[in-house]
């Protein structure tokens, strides 16, 4: 299965100022209901801005606005005549609308379909909702320049077996939400897109995800980076690895652009599926040439970095992930300088592990002024 997915009983938001956790605010529906928050973005670019959040409330999608102290301003259910969706990404476009994408999962492996939503947070109304054919899933979205169409990235699972997926991006019409294929890459056996970004200056799309050379052989997952031109054609595809090529498995989760460089945050291991995972940051130029790859072992025998994300800050990069062993999962935050050297790293109590890895995708982190916000989910005792 491509991604670990779990709906837990309680949504929460974490607010961190420098190293100190100021509060954990919980939003609770009831013992028989699932509630979780998976995405957060700032309402404006000011340091005192409120925050938009999105997730699930019961069986419905929900969007809301919070003050920086965690107080709810409003929440609105998104009625789309279906249920059990998972939001993987949310952005605020140049007109102030919220674009959300994700998937509805049916049965085992990656059976299900992807969806895209445009929501007006001023009117608190749904502009449009679009979903894909079965076994196409979305994990990230972007606006193709101010006033342009949107683009979503994920995977085409074909028969929904959890294997043999193809890299997939789709154009989303800004007015109607109509979907059309932009790029589909079958590089080898198994690939997907976990994160993407659009360079408005060069009209170029960068996507990153995992690439599997041979699911039955010795060579495992690699960090994959694609550069795609304005027509949907791949200019190049490059693969990266830090440890022994025959055994390492690497999972990129988020990508940002910093001037003339790309920074990918992810996790990986040195000895196959069951070995300890570590944080990885990878920095390349805009042609995919490596500047540096850093491996971070922050907890010795514990796993670091599952479902991680990265944001640029005046001090360098803010990186979020999870830190877990067999009994617990903590929230892990790290600040590095622009060369990837650690300025500080801190963990915050989270919950019992009980078989789950933690929070969702890269949209769960926001940096607003001097404050860091994270939303996720916590299992009730």
């Amino acid at each position: 299965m491509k991604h670990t997915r779990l709906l837990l009983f309680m949504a929460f938001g974490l607010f961190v100022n420098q190293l100190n956790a100021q509060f954990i605010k919980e939003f609770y529906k009831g013992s028989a209901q699932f509630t979780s928050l998976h995405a957060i973005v700032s309402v404006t670019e000011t340091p005192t801005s409120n925050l938009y959040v999105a997730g699930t409330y019961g069986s419905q999608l929900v969007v809301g606005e919070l003050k920086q102290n965690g107080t709810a301003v409003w929440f609105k259910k998104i009625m789309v005549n279906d249920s059990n969706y998972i939001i993987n990404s949310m952005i605020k476009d140049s007109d102030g609308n919220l674009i959300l994408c994700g998937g509805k999962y049916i049965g085992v492996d990656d059976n299900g379909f992807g969806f895209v939503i445009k929501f007006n947070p001023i009117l608190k109304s749904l502009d449009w909702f679009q979903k894909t054919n079965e076994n196409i899933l979305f994990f990230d979205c972007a606006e193709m320049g101010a006033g342009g169409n949107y683009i979503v990235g994920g995977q085409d699972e074909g028969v929904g077996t959890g294997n043999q997926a193809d890299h997939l991006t789709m154009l989303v019409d800004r007015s109607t939400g109509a979907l059309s294929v932009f790029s589909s890459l079958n590089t080898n056996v198994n690939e997907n897109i976990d994160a993407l970004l659009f360079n408005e200056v060069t009209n170029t799309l960068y996507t990153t995800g995992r690439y599997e050379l041979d699911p039955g052989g010795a060579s495992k997952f690699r960090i994959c980076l694609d550069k795609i031109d304005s027509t949907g054609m791949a200019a190049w595809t490059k693969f990266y690895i830090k440890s022994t090529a025959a055994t390492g498995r690497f999972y990129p989760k988020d990508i940002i652009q910093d001037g003339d460089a790309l920074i990918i945050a992810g996790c990986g291991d040195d000895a196959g599926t069951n070995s300890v995972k570590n944080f990885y940051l990878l920095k390349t130029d805009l042609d995919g040439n490596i500047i540096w790859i850093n491996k971070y072992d922050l907890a010795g025998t514990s796993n670091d970095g599952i479902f991680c994300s990265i944001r640029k800050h005046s001090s360098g990069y803010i990186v979020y992930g999870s830190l877990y062993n067999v009994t617990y999962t903590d929230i892990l935050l790290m600040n590095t300088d622009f060369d990837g050297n650690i300025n500080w790293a801190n963990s915050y109590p989270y919950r019992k592990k009980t078989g789950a890895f933690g929070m969702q995708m890269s949209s769960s982190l926001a940096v607003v002024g001097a404050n860091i916000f994270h939303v996720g989910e916590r299992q009730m005792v």
Side-chain angles (χ1 to χ4, degrees):
M1 190 182 297
K2 287 271 185 206
H3 293 271
T4 301
R5 296 176 294 270
L6 183 66
L7 277 180
L8 300 176
F9 287 113
M10 189 175 294
F12 76 89
L14 171 75
F15 162 48
V16 180
N17 188 311
Q18 295 178 353
L19 294 181
N20 301 311
Q22 302 297 314
F23 66 78
I24 294 179
K25 176 74 172 180
E26 295 181 341
F27 304 87
Y28 177 54
K29 181 173 174 59
S31 59
Q33 298 292 337
F34 296 107
T35 305
S36 58
L37 295 177
H38 291 164
I40 182 169
V41 295
S42 61
V43 175
T44 69
E45 303 306 314
T46 65
T48 58
S49 171
N50 284 358
L51 301 143
Y52 292 132
V53 295
T56 57
Y57 184 76
S59 61
Q60 296 294 325
L61 294 176
V62 66
V63 177
E65 182 178 344
L66 303 178
K67 296 180 179 180
Q68 286 202 18
N69 63 6
T71 303
V73 179
W74 57 265
F75 273 95
K76 177 76 173 181
K77 286 184 179 180
I78 300 178
M79 308 303 291
V80 292
N81 299 319
D82 211 330
S83 61
N84 299 323
Y85 293 104
I86 298 293
I87 293 171
N88 288 328
S89 183
M90 177 173 70
I91 61 168
K92 182 168 63 73
D93 73 9
S94 54
D95 294 325
N97 299 298
L98 298 176
I99 309 302
L100 306 92
C101 73
K104 177 185 170 104
Y105 300 94
I106 305 169
V108 297
D109 292 317
D110 288 327
N111 292 303
F113 55 79
F115 69 88
V116 188
I117 286 172
K118 185 174 184 178
F119 183 84
N120 186 321
I122 304 302
L123 300 178
K124 303 178 183 61
S125 63
L126 178 68
D127 281 7
W128 46 252
F129 165 81
Q130 293 284 354
K131 68 178 183 179
T132 67
N133 295 328
E134 191 172 350
N135 301 329
I136 292 175
L137 303 173
F138 296 139
F139 302 119
D140 203 7
C141 56
E143 184 181 21
M144 301 180 75
N149 289 327
Y150 313 111
I151 192 157
V152 289
Q155 65 191 42
D156 183 350
E157 193 64 46
V159 296
T161 63
N163 249 333
Q164 300 178 357
D166 292 337
H167 158 300
L168 178 72
T169 60
M170 299 191 80
L171 285 174
V172 186
D173 184 271
R174 188 182 187 91
S175 299
T176 67
L179 294 163
S180 58
V181 174
F182 183 66
S183 67
S184 180
L185 303 181
N186 183 358
T187 310
N188 201 294
V189 173
N190 198 358
E191 50 272 326
N192 76 325
I193 296 171
D194 274 301
L196 54 79
L197 68 85
F198 184 77
N199 186 321
E200 186 174 358
V201 175
T202 61
N203 202 27
T204 298
L205 177 70
Y206 291 96
T207 69
T208 187
R210 80 178 194 180
Y211 159 83
E212 187 175 9
L213 178 62
D214 179 5
S219 296
K220 301 299 182 180
F221 301 119
R222 305 289 177 260
I223 294 171
C224 181
L225 179 63
D226 304 286
K227 181 180 179 181
I228 301 172
D229 67 22
S230 59
T231 68
M233 297 295 294
W236 45 256
T237 297
K238 296 186 178 182
F239 311 106
Y240 310 93
I241 190 166
K242 175 69 174 177
S243 68
T244 306
T247 57
R249 297 163 65 96
F250 299 91
Y251 310 83
K253 294 296 181 182
D254 200 8
I255 183 172
I256 61 171
Q257 183 172 343
D258 182 10
D260 293 329
L262 304 171
I263 300 91
I264 297 172
C267 65
D269 56 53
D270 294 323
T273 304
N274 297 320
S275 61
V276 172
K277 292 181 176 62
N278 302 117
F279 262 122
Y280 282 86
L281 293 184
L282 180 150
K283 189 170 187 177
T284 78
D285 62 23
L286 296 183
D287 290 319
N289 301 308
I290 286 290
I291 298 173
W292 46 256
I293 302 178
N294 286 355
K295 172 183 175 180
Y296 307 89
D297 184 2
L298 298 173
T301 59
S302 295
N303 288 277
D304 306 341
I306 307 297
F307 296 130
C308 57
S309 56
I310 183 171
R311 298 290 183 269
K312 186 180 177 182
H313 185 260
S314 59
S315 61
Y317 307 116
I318 303 294
V319 186
Y320 146 76
S322 55
L323 177 71
Y324 68 93
N325 64 18
V326 294
T327 59
Y328 67 88
T329 303
D330 286 347
I331 295 166
L332 178 62
L333 287 173
M334 178 172 66
N335 173 227
T336 76
D337 63 20
F338 293 105
D339 293 318
N341 302 305
I342 295 176
N343 293 328
W344 55 259
N346 206 30
S347 63
Y348 307 88
Y350 175 46
R351 62 174 178 83
K352 292 289 185 180
K353 181 172 180 283
T354 60
F357 286 157
M359 289 63 72
Q360 301 289 323
M361 309 310 287
S362 59
S363 282
S364 61
L365 177 71
V367 180
V368 184
N371 300 319
I372 303 166
F373 297 88
H374 168 67
V375 292
E377 51 196 18
R378 182 177 72 86
Q379 188 172 17
M380 288 179 58
V381 176

